[in-house]
Amino acid sequence: MIDQATINRIVDAAQIVEVVSEFVTLRKRGVNYIGLCPFHNEKTPSFSVSPAKGLCKCFSCGKGGNAVHFIMEHEQLSYYEALKYLAKKYHIEIKERELSTEEKQAQTTRESMFIVNHFACEYFRTVLKKHREGSTIGLAYFRQRGIRDDIIEKFQLGFCTDERDAFANEATAKGYKEEFLLSTGLCYRTEEGKLYDRFWGRVVFPIHTLSGKVVAFGGRIINADNKKQAKYVNSPESGIYHKSNELYGIFFAKQTIVKQDRCFLVEGYTDVIAMHQAGVENVVASSGTSLTTGQIKLIHRFTNHITVLYDGDPAGIKASIRGIDMLLEEGMNVKVVLLPHGDDPDSFARKHHAADFRAYISENEVDFIRFKTKLLLDEAEKDPIKRAELISDMVRSLSVIPDSIVRSVYVKECSQLLHVEEKLLILEIAKQFKKPVAQSGTSKENTPSAPEKPVDHEDSPLLQEGEEFYRYEQLIIQILVRHGEKIMCYMENEEGEKTPISVITYIVNELQQDDLSFHNPLHRRILAEAAGQIHTSGFTAERYFITHSDPDISRLATDLVNDRYQLSKYHFKAQHPLTDEERLHELVPMLTDNFKYAIVKEELKHIRNALQVPETVNNPQKCNALMQRYKELQEIQILMAKRLGDRVILPE
Ligand SMILES: [Zn+2]
């Protein structure tokens, strides 16, 4: 954990023009700089850098932010890693937050395990190149499979001789503790109590984390005819290695995945390596395990588009289909490519160059839903029971797609392919939605709804983002981040004493008065923190939230500040070209009043709808209660409308 003071120093030191210039050729234009956007392909520059604000933004794809965000996006680093990157560039010593004793203990254990893995990786590489057995057996094996030396280097491939304990002896002699040799799984104890190498007699593939550290290994036997031994041996799960959260090749693939906005998914180490060698670098492997949610989330950080490559083996395809449903569930766009009969990605890549490879993909890729329907349809043929199974299987796949528009397109297509009425499919999908609800018994909803992520808002479950009130909520948060600490007006008491009121205080009071809160949890956190900080001397909301240690908050704040929109220009027709800052005393009350008005309006609408549902109509008690509330709200609405007079018109 980096402490807040250090974060501030890093953000202050990082010159946006300098940071961006390392990756983008910039030209001066007026007070700003402009260049070709590094995040999408373009011929005319739309990437603008403002040294005054310390911000950059692409006016075409919208990416950008402050120097930290730029590095996060460009280098595909976490917030923490990006800060460390900039600290190094500007020679700022990082003061990390003091860790607790347990944290320290856990950290040293983890670090030691990574250190041992690093040592092992280097050891196996050296053996491959320098040891006689390494080159006659290990290197010969890779060469025979057509793997070039530069690729062997890049993926840090290695070899472990078959002496059983050669690595264990070397590591112990070098002073590496047995504890960590065992906990990383590099070695194990035999029943006789001997310390043996897990990977003896195998070529070794190190598995890298997203940031390039070696987290585990996979070892393959050289002679596949040896039936006594498993073909592959992998590091066991450990304090640092959780198989379900790692993807083979992700470290080497992440930048290309972003650039091409797509990721290829294959099965094995050699598939990834062969594809890299052919020039296709945006590829990862689930390494034999079926795809997990953790792995999917890892890919999803970089792209929305995934293409799964299959060899033609139908059994293998059927086994992996479950994992693909999970990709759909994550809202990813999934395509499938079937390779020519007898080829796997490894052999196919060895025969083709990147251009041919891409051409084959684009000619042969099929949408997953279409692919699955056809695959199962062939199998079901005229067997009615199998057909029924197929339909319910497709319904399951369709029901997990989070986007309702995408879903309805597929429903239409499936109904045609399967010769089933569209209505029937929709009905079946609706049943799927109800299932988890019925189990938990918490939802009051009777209508089938899409499995969208639960709205985190206990106070008014009726409200939905995208409604009018939500736009006001965003404008209030924007003005709060830009001007929160500024004095917008004075309150006078009976003795004539004036108390200054800041934007933050005003907003907090206004919401409290009517027992309202923001809909978006991030907005609620920003308001709560602003209220807590307002009396801290030297506090400025903009700076505080832009350098916030939570990247979600800092990113949102940057976007809000970056947005050049000035409310004043819009609402006060240029008679007085005043800035928002000069008009806070008018703007802020106007926004909060309109926010409230929109919420009241929304609630009235929901009550009107509720009053038409048969369930309510047949329940006089509920009906009366709703009518009562409706009348109250109507009165409030009339009062507010009078006070508002001229209402703020929402920006488009
Ligand atoms: Zn762009």
Side-chain angles (χ1 to χ4, degrees):
M1 289 287 289
I2 305 177
D3 67 35
Q4 187 62 47
T6 313
I7 296 180
N8 290 349
R9 294 217 341 265
I10 296 169
V11 173
D12 288 344
Q15 297 296 320
I16 188 80
V17 175
E18 240 171 61
V19 172
V20 174
S21 293
E22 243 184 76
F23 308 98
V24 181
T25 312
L26 293 174
R27 275 200 202 117
K28 197 151 197 310
R29 181 180 289 180
V31 292
N32 293 335
Y33 290 79
I34 195 150
L36 289 173
C37 174
F39 304 118
H40 81 279
N41 279 326
E42 63 175 10
K43 294 205 175 77
T44 47
S46 46
F47 194 72
S48 165
V49 179
S50 158
K53 287 193 196 153
L55 300 172
C56 60
K57 188 179 175 87
C58 171
F59 288 101
S60 183
C61 70
K63 288 192 173 158
N66 64 15
V68 188
H69 302 134
F70 177 82
I71 292 298
M72 282 171 76
E73 187 77 44
H74 197 275
E75 296 299 285
Q76 295 304 320
L77 298 175
S78 70
Y79 189 61
Y80 175 77
E81 289 164 337
L83 284 166
K84 281 190 31 174
Y85 173 103
L86 288 169
K88 202 172 156 205
K89 183 175 166 76
Y90 289 97
H91 311 291
I92 294 168
E93 191 195 342
I94 292 208
K95 280 219 184 73
E96 311 236 354
R97 179 175 63 79
E98 190 67 28
L99 298 175
S100 71
T101 321
E102 293 90 55
E103 279 175 326
K104 268 186 202 154
Q105 181 65 43
Q107 202 183 35
T108 31
T109 307
R110 284 175 59 85
E111 263 168 26
S112 305
M113 289 170 78
F114 275 118
I115 290 168
V116 168
N117 273 350
H118 178 74
F119 168 74
C121 180
E122 291 307 310
Y123 170 86
F124 295 139
R125 291 175 77 185
T126 312
V127 170
L128 181 77
K129 284 180 280 188
K130 304 275 163 67
H131 195 280
R132 195 177 48 80
E133 234 177 85
S135 52
T136 55
I137 302 175
L139 202 56
Y141 168 81
F142 288 132
R143 292 226 168 106
Q144 181 217 326
R145 298 202 62 136
I147 303 178
R148 290 195 314 256
D149 286 4
D150 61 313
I151 297 291
I152 293 176
E153 279 297 304
K154 180 176 181 180
F155 285 88
Q156 306 179 336
L157 306 181
F159 184 68
C160 186
T161 57
D162 63 1
E163 285 152 78
R164 308 289 195 280
D165 57 1
F167 167 73
N169 290 338
E170 174 83 5
T172 326
K174 284 259 159 70
Y176 291 95
K177 280 192 195 152
E178 196 186 301
E179 178 195 347
F180 301 120
L181 295 174
L182 290 171
S183 65
T184 51
L186 280 160
C187 299
Y188 61 95
R189 277 233 171 271
T190 62
E191 279 173 20
E192 297 85 49
K194 284 187 184 134
L195 195 63
Y196 269 15
D197 301 343
R198 183 171 307 268
F199 299 106
W200 64 265
R202 290 171 184 269
V203 284
V204 181
F205 301 82
I207 300 168
H208 297 86
T209 63
L210 200 53
S211 57
K213 286 195 273 191
V214 177
V215 73
F217 298 89
R220 190 195 189 281
I221 44 165
I222 302 288
N223 188 353
D225 301 335
N226 189 342
K227 292 266 152 48
K228 271 190 220 147
Q229 283 177 298
K231 194 166 155 196
Y232 279 99
V233 159
N234 295 303
S235 300
E237 297 268 315
S238 73
I240 53 172
Y241 180 50
H242 305 285
K243 212 190 318 186
S244 58
N245 288 332
E246 307 291 341
L247 278 167
Y248 183 71
I250 189 74
F251 172 66
F252 304 105
K254 57 184 181 179
Q255 288 197 26
T256 321
I257 295 176
V258 173
K259 233 175 252 160
Q260 312 207 342
D261 193 16
R262 108 158 36 192
C263 177
F264 291 111
L265 182 71
V266 294
E267 215 176 297
Y269 307 132
T270 51
D271 297 329
V272 170
I273 291 171
M275 281 173 71
H276 263 262
Q277 180 158 317
V280 181
E281 298 190 341
N282 46 334
V283 54
V284 297
S286 57
S287 333
T289 61
S290 51
L291 211 55
T292 66
T293 327
Q295 292 174 326
I296 294 168
K297 288 211 151 63
L298 198 57
I299 301 174
H300 211 174
R301 278 173 62 176
F302 304 107
T303 185
N304 223 348
H305 303 278
I306 188 156
T307 303
V308 186
L309 296 184
Y310 282 122
D311 47 42
D313 166 31
I317 297 171
K318 280 196 77 186
S320 70
I321 272 180
R322 261 256 171 281
I324 299 190
D325 274 349
M326 287 163 64
L327 288 164
L328 292 175
E329 209 166 333
E330 265 289 307
M332 292 185 91
N333 179 350
V334 189
K335 298 240 160 80
V336 172
V337 172
L338 209 55
L339 293 171
H341 190 70
D343 265 329
D344 57 20
D346 179 2
S347 64
F348 187 76
R350 276 188 274 149
K351 289 184 226 159
H352 298 83
H353 288 298
D356 300 346
F357 196 98
R358 293 222 170 80
Y360 182 86
I361 303 272
S362 65
E363 278 160 32
N364 290 281
E365 74 183 348
V366 196
D367 202 88
F368 171 65
I369 295 281
R370 223 162 290 158
F371 176 82
K372 182 172 171 182
T373 315
K374 285 195 179 131
L375 179 81
L376 298 181
L377 208 53
D378 283 349
E379 197 184 328
E381 282 181 23
K382 288 187 181 107
D383 183 339
I385 294 173
K386 274 200 170 156
R387 255 184 76 80
E389 275 171 16
L390 158 63
I391 293 169
S392 67
D393 201 344
M394 288 316 299
V395 162
R396 240 191 339 266
S397 286
L398 291 167
S399 69
V400 298
I401 299 175
D403 186 321
S404 54
I405 297 171
V406 175
R407 195 168 56 234
S408 65
V409 172
Y410 280 132
V411 167
K412 191 166 242 119
E413 189 168 336
C414 264
S415 84
Q416 284 162 1
L417 283 170
L418 297 169
H419 307 293
V420 177
E421 259 188 273
E422 208 177 315
K423 263 191 249 159
L424 187 83
L425 283 181
I426 295 171
L427 206 69
E428 289 300 312
I429 290 169
K431 281 188 201 158
Q432 290 281 328
F433 291 155
K434 273 199 202 162
K435 272 183 195 159
V437 172
Q439 281 158 6
S440 65
T442 49
S443 173
K444 296 170 209 124
E445 299 250 355
N446 275 311
T447 43
S449 64
E452 259 131 30
K453 294 197 177 99
V455 181
D456 174 22
H457 197 264
E458 321 74 43
D459 318 324
S460 30
L462 299 172
L463 299 177
Q464 291 292 323
E465 279 180 24
E467 306 284 355
E468 192 185 359
F469 83 91
Y470 192 69
R471 182 65 186 132
Y472 283 112
E473 176 174 318
Q474 289 173 312
L475 289 171
I476 295 174
I477 277 294
Q478 180 166 28
I479 214 155
L480 183 132
V481 168
R482 283 179 173 179
H483 306 291
E485 75 287 352
K486 287 164 195 158
I487 303 303
M488 56 173 271
C489 60
Y490 290 86
M491 230 171 49
E492 212 176 296
N493 65 10
E494 284 155 10
E495 280 93 59
E497 286 169 340
K498 282 183 175 176
T499 320
I501 304 289
S502 67
V503 172
I504 291 170
T505 315
Y506 184 90
I507 294 172
V508 169
N509 288 343
E510 280 294 301
L511 294 189
Q512 264 172 6
Q513 237 172 48
D514 292 311
D515 209 10
L516 292 172
S517 67
F518 286 140
H519 178 77
N520 182 322
L522 217 52
H523 293 169
R524 289 206 295 274
R525 276 184 56 199
I526 289 181
L527 184 68
E529 284 199 28
Q533 292 291 334
I534 183 68
H535 299 296
T536 311
S537 81
F539 166 78
T540 60
E542 186 173 313
R543 182 179 160 75
Y544 178 85
F545 289 113
I546 283 184
T547 59
H548 200 278
S549 58
D550 179 337
D552 288 340
I553 289 189
S554 104
R555 179 166 287 283
L556 175 63
T558 314
D559 286 345
L560 293 175
V561 172
N562 221 344
D563 181 4
R564 295 186 195 163
Y565 183 73
Q566 288 258 344
L567 279 168
S568 289
K569 284 199 186 137
Y570 204 91
H571 300 298
F572 300 98
K573 307 279 177 208
Q575 300 161 349
H576 309 286
L578 295 179
T579 60
D580 282 1
E581 192 173 345
E582 292 161 311
R583 288 222 178 250
L584 287 174
H585 62 288
E586 288 167 297
L587 269 179
V588 180
M590 197 176 237
L591 289 177
T592 49
D593 287 349
N594 276 285
F595 173 67
K596 290 181 194 173
Y597 189 84
I599 285 184
V600 170
K601 215 169 84 181
E602 193 66 17
E603 212 180 325
L604 282 168
K605 193 172 92 192
H606 280 288
I607 295 179
R608 272 198 304 275
N609 289 343
L611 282 168
Q612 284 162 7
V613 179
E615 206 198 354
T616 324
V617 178
N618 299 328
N619 181 343
Q621 214 173 349
K622 193 176 173 189
C623 213
N624 280 338
L626 281 175
M627 288 298 286
Q628 184 67 31
R629 177 82 184 135
Y630 193 78
K631 274 185 201 151
E632 280 170 23
L633 285 170
Q634 259 185 332
E635 278 165 30
I636 297 172
Q637 194 186 28
I638 293 164
L639 283 174
M640 286 182 82
K642 272 186 197 157
R643 201 171 77 189
L644 278 166
D646 188 22
R647 296 191 51 224
V648 169
I649 305 149
L650 273 176
E652 290 309 311

